[in-house]
Amino acid sequence: MSPVVGSAFFLFYLLALCNASGADIALDAKATLLHRIDSLNLLIYTCLLTLTVLTIWVFKHRRVSWLHETGLAVIYGLIVGAIIRYASSTNQVTYIDAHPAPDTKYNLSVPPDILRFRFPDKIQISSGDTVPNKTYAYSFRGEIVNLEQNEIDLKATFDPEIFFNIILPPIIFHAGYCLKRKYFFRNLGAILTFAMVGTALSALVIGALMYGFVQLMPASLASSFTFLDTLYFGALISPTDPLTVLAIFSQLKVDVNLYAMIFGESVLNDAVALVLSGAIQNYEKRYSVDGGFEITAFLAAIGDFIGIFSLSLLVGALLGCFTALMTKFTHVRDWPLLESALFVLMSYAAFLIAEVFELTGVVAVLFCGICQAHYTYNNLSSDSRNRTKQLFELLNFLAENFIFTYIGVSMFTFPKHHFDPWFIIAGFLTSTLGRAVNIYPLSFLLNLGRKPPIPMNFQHMLFFSGLRGAMSFALAIRNTVSEARQAMLTTTSLIVIATVVLQGGAATHALAYLRIPTGQGQNDENEALPYRDVRSLYQATDSGRPNGSMVVKWGKGENGVIMPWQLNVLAETPRSGEAGEKARLARLWGALDSRLLKPLLTHARPPLTETLPGFLSPLARILTTTRQYTQADNSLRRTDSDSDLCLDEPQPVPTSIDPQLSFSLRNGYGNV
């Protein structure tokens, strides 16, 4: 056979194979098209973020303060979403009507996770040939609203789980990792009251009022809402995200205690709202028999809330402390890249472990970030410190702006919106009332025992700073199957857009109107926002002694050693008008932390061999590094981002002698 004839036969053979594989070629073409659409979708959001960054630079250069970066992201998202929705061509998505078999045993009230679509025995392709049957699996996406949709319209919406598993963790971790812990713990009582009691109270008020409003609405909408639905709406709309206000506070150097209360509340109420919404969802499913109010079911739901929150906190704190131990007792700091990778992976593991055990990953990663900053950060090399700070700052910036951009785009592209004017108006009114109930009554109760009290203009600013943001949107978009949940998503999106753009833009004017002082000074890059007019805890409890000295009495432990858990911290009578009990608790924690936890988890002094009882000396020697013995007493303080959890570093003072025992506050810990 000649080479020409052989080549011809080979060519005909290839053509036959191509005809036989026509279905595969069509599928490859479909996959290529979907890949192009995915790339276009990502390119759109990349261009939006790029445009946002450039506009932010212009605004900072021109000193424009009436619109924050998150407001810009929302506005740009709205514009692009409108273009995608109305200016692009509409292509009908191919579909085949499928009906379940009559003898199916599946519960048809809930859609299946995967649909296995079985074609007839033989499929005829365009060339006239037939190929054997193939079975295809289709994953559940959601309810179909409109068959005539653009492919990019469908692809411009993401799986809600992406928000919870990918986007939210770096945002929440950054909040804990960069938390201004000194003033956070100084105002811890107010922050916990607003974040936990206030968020729960706000959710209850909003849920009750919304249920009353819904009953006055048309029957078509009222019938789709239960009290648990409106209570869930109250839980998801209660968390705040005052990014715009806090950015302006930082620029104008507003009072540090006001900053700490607003930021601390926003950090914690995200976690509280997520756990609370989960408890509400589990109320009927796990505890209630008929869906009505039952006291046993209510108490079980409260126990569920407390248990999940506490265990999630414990998981995050343990992972943070475990990372600190690894970085202390290994030499991974000699390879900063590996050290940074270990830090990031362990931090993300806290989120995943909590989710695997049906806890709340947001709570875990928040408190993991706090522990990483307080302990692990001190063990890192200088390269890893800078890298982790900058990395999470960058991730937080991109994730936050992506979410607000997506909120704007999804207002036009997401197919599950349900616009009901009455529900939207009621949502705006009740969310405002819920915020007021959170702030003013609780501030009144706090001021009964708080010295100095929260002034009224601070209370007004706390109320004004109740912007809604990423957490509310993420909770609302997670489930949009029913008409009630679709109405919640639409209302939540509009509330987020309105508060971010309007309230955020008016923050500067609100500060001026409320006569809140600004420009009070800022000079510490590690422990941010220490203002000259803010009195330190040492100053607040120095009992009027010369040079700020303070007497603290300690009980004696075994073998004459003062053990951290036996501390009896008794300051002399506090100065008139100051919170002595709160200071005592703060000093007790500060002593426990500086004499036990930091020497255990970091290279801080004093070493455990000086603070643990004699019978634990072998263990203390194992847990104490050579660096702790050899370094100067105050060497760690110069590089520690949080060397004073709730105590300011005092000036050198003379030792004040107590008849039983005394110590100097010089070097930040007691010298026995």
Side-chain angles (χ1 to χ4, degrees):
M1 182 183 296
S2 66
V4 176
V5 176
S7 299
F9 274 109
F10 182 71
L11 180 61
F12 282 121
Y13 177 72
L14 290 178
L15 291 175
L17 288 178
C18 291
N19 289 332
S21 60
D24 291 333
I25 293 175
L27 290 176
D28 289 340
K30 180 68 173 178
T32 302
L33 177 61
L34 293 178
H35 174 73
R36 290 179 57 199
I37 293 172
D38 287 336
S39 300
L40 177 60
N41 181 32
L42 294 176
L43 178 62
I44 288 174
Y45 286 104
T46 302
C47 292
L48 281 173
L49 291 176
T50 304
L51 183 61
T52 302
V53 170
L54 292 175
T55 311
I56 292 169
W57 172 77
V58 173
F59 277 28
K60 289 183 180 293
H61 182 68
R62 300 291 183 182
R63 299 183 184 276
V64 176
S65 60
W66 52 267
L67 187 60
H68 189 249
E69 58 203 41
T70 53
L72 280 172
V74 169
I75 293 173
Y76 286 147
L78 288 170
I79 295 173
V80 173
I83 293 174
I84 294 175
R85 182 69 176 86
Y86 297 110
S88 59
S89 59
T90 301
N91 300 322
Q92 185 174 7
V93 180
T94 58
Y95 67 94
I96 296 176
D97 291 329
H99 302 280
D103 58 344
T104 182
K105 297 181 180 179
Y106 183 79
N107 179 16
L108 297 180
S109 62
V110 179
D113 297 323
I114 295 178
L115 177 65
R116 292 198 298 268
F117 190 82
R118 184 177 179 84
F119 282 93
D121 292 338
K122 296 290 183 179
I123 303 175
Q124 186 171 359
I125 59 178
S126 57
S127 62
D129 299 329
T130 58
V131 296
N133 168 66
K134 293 184 178 181
T135 302
Y136 297 92
Y138 290 84
S139 298
F140 174 73
R141 181 183 179 90
E143 181 186 3
I144 297 297
V145 178
N146 179 17
L147 291 177
E148 304 225 349
Q149 288 179 327
N150 196 344
E151 287 281 4
I152 187 62
D153 198 28
L154 289 174
K155 288 292 182 178
T157 57
F158 292 94
D159 186 345
E161 291 304 310
I162 292 178
F163 288 99
F164 281 92
N165 296 328
I166 305 271
I167 298 177
L168 278 181
I171 295 176
I172 302 300
F173 181 85
H174 176 264
Y177 193 48
C178 298
L179 184 68
K180 318 310 175 191
R181 289 165 297 282
K182 183 189 298 183
Y183 299 103
F184 175 87
F185 283 95
R186 177 173 299 161
N187 295 277
L188 185 60
I191 291 171
L192 289 178
T193 301
F194 291 135
M196 303 195 74
V197 179
T199 301
L201 186 61
S202 174
L204 181 61
V205 170
I206 294 174
L209 292 177
M210 284 300 297
Y211 186 73
F213 278 117
V214 164
Q215 301 308 308
L216 302 177
M217 295 178 188
S220 58
L221 184 65
S223 60
S224 61
F225 277 91
T226 64
F227 180 70
L228 288 180
D229 288 329
T230 58
L231 197 60
Y232 180 80
F233 176 74
L236 70 87
I237 206 63
S238 293
T240 59
D241 192 3
L243 283 176
T244 308
V245 175
L246 293 175
I248 293 174
F249 278 16
S250 182
Q251 293 172 5
L252 299 180
K253 302 175 183 176
V254 177
D255 182 89
V256 66
N257 291 295
L258 178 61
Y259 183 101
M261 283 189 287
I262 293 176
F263 181 74
E265 183 206 357
S266 68
V267 167
L268 290 181
N269 66 14
D270 281 351
V272 171
L274 186 58
V275 179
L276 183 61
S277 62
I280 293 172
Q281 287 179 312
N282 293 334
Y283 174 81
E284 183 175 3
K285 180 173 65 175
R286 294 184 181 180
Y287 306 120
S288 180
V289 177
D290 57 359
F293 178 80
E294 301 175 17
I295 186 63
T296 55
F298 177 72
L299 295 176
I302 293 178
D304 197 15
F305 170 81
I306 297 174
I308 290 177
F309 191 93
S310 303
L311 290 176
S312 302
L313 185 155
L314 183 62
V315 167
L318 289 178
L319 261 292
C321 294
F322 182 63
T323 309
L325 289 173
M326 284 197 299
T327 54
K328 177 183 177 181
F329 292 105
T330 64
H331 293 283
V332 69
R333 72 192 313 270
D334 295 336
W335 291 272
L337 180 61
L338 300 181
E339 185 182 36
S340 301
L342 178 67
F343 182 92
V344 173
L345 293 174
M346 292 298 294
S347 302
Y348 189 51
F351 175 86
L352 297 177
I353 290 174
E355 292 293 326
V356 165
F357 289 98
E358 296 186 350
L359 302 174
T360 304
V362 167
V363 178
V365 78
L366 169 64
F367 286 93
C368 178
I370 294 175
C371 291
Q372 297 280 45
H374 189 51
Y375 299 115
T376 310
Y377 183 88
N378 303 314
N379 301 332
L380 300 179
S381 62
S382 58
D383 289 343
S384 295
R385 290 181 182 182
N386 295 331
R387 183 181 289 117
T388 54
K389 284 282 187 181
Q390 294 171 2
L391 173 63
F392 284 106
E393 183 179 7
L394 175 63
L395 292 177
N396 174 74
F397 174 82
L398 293 176
E400 284 278 6
N401 283 279
F402 172 80
I403 287 183
F404 285 103
T405 300
Y406 182 75
I407 291 173
V409 172
S410 66
M411 284 301 300
F412 293 96
T413 62
F414 194 73
K416 304 292 184 62
H417 280 296
H418 180 82
F419 290 87
D420 186 278
W422 296 112
F423 189 85
I424 293 171
I425 294 172
F428 272 91
L429 292 175
T430 55
S431 62
T432 303
L433 291 174
R435 182 64 183 169
V437 170
N438 184 339
I439 299 300
Y440 295 109
L442 296 183
S443 297
F444 173 78
L445 295 177
L446 285 170
N447 286 342
L448 295 178
R450 180 185 171 95
K451 303 296 182 181
I454 303 173
M456 187 56 68
N457 59 343
F458 278 27
Q459 296 180 36
H460 294 328
M461 198 65 211
L462 284 165
F463 168 77
F464 182 85
S465 301
L467 285 69
R468 271 58 173 192
M471 181 58 70
S472 296
F473 177 76
L475 287 172
I477 203 173
R478 201 171 193 179
N479 178 8
T480 57
V481 175
S482 66
E483 185 179 357
R485 294 300 177 91
Q486 294 169 11
M488 291 183 199
L489 171 63
T490 304
T491 303
T492 301
S493 300
L494 291 174
I495 291 175
V496 170
I497 293 172
T499 55
V500 167
V501 175
L502 300 180
Q503 281 183 246
T508 305
H509 302 288
L511 287 172
Y513 178 78
L514 296 174
R515 298 180 180 179
I516 295 176
T518 59
Q520 299 184 9
Q522 179 177 352
N523 52 22
D524 188 347
E525 70 176 5
N526 287 329
E527 186 62 72
L529 298 177
Y531 294 83
R532 65 168 184 256
D533 294 335
V534 179
R535 303 183 61 244
S536 70
L537 181 59
Y538 282 122
Q539 294 169 334
T541 56
D542 62 12
S543 307
R545 288 184 162 273
N547 301 319
S549 61
M550 177 179 67
V551 172
V552 179
K553 300 176 183 177
W554 287 2
K556 289 192 175 182
E558 237 179 283
N559 300 325
V561 178
I562 303 160
M563 293 177 284
W565 53 85
Q566 293 178 318
L567 293 179
N568 180 24
V569 185
L570 298 172
E572 294 184 2
T573 306
R575 191 176 298 161
S576 177
E578 294 181 350
E581 183 65 28
K582 182 183 297 185
R584 185 180 300 118
L585 293 175
R587 291 196 308 277
L588 176 61
W589 164 250
L592 177 66
D593 181 62
S594 64
R595 298 187 64 83
L596 177 63
L597 297 180
K598 274 202 169 180
L600 171 64
L601 301 174
T602 71
H603 299 285
R605 289 182 57 87
L608 292 174
T609 51
E610 296 181 10
T611 59
L612 290 181
F615 68 91
L616 292 177
S617 295
L619 178 62
R621 285 193 294 269
I622 294 175
L623 297 177
T624 302
T625 61
T626 304
R627 181 180 170 187
Q628 288 178 275
Y629 289 118
T630 58
Q631 71 181 354
D633 288 347
N634 59 352
S635 61
L636 184 62
R637 283 184 165 277
R638 297 191 184 99
T639 57
D640 186 357
S641 71
D642 185 32
S643 59
D644 302 300
L645 181 62
C646 52
L647 307 177
D648 288 336
E649 191 167 338
Q651 299 296 324
V653 297
T655 303
S656 179
I657 305 299
D658 180 79
Q660 296 183 22
L661 187 65
S662 68
F663 71 91
S664 170
L665 294 179
R666 187 182 300 112
N667 298 329
Y669 62 88
N671 296 322
V672 178

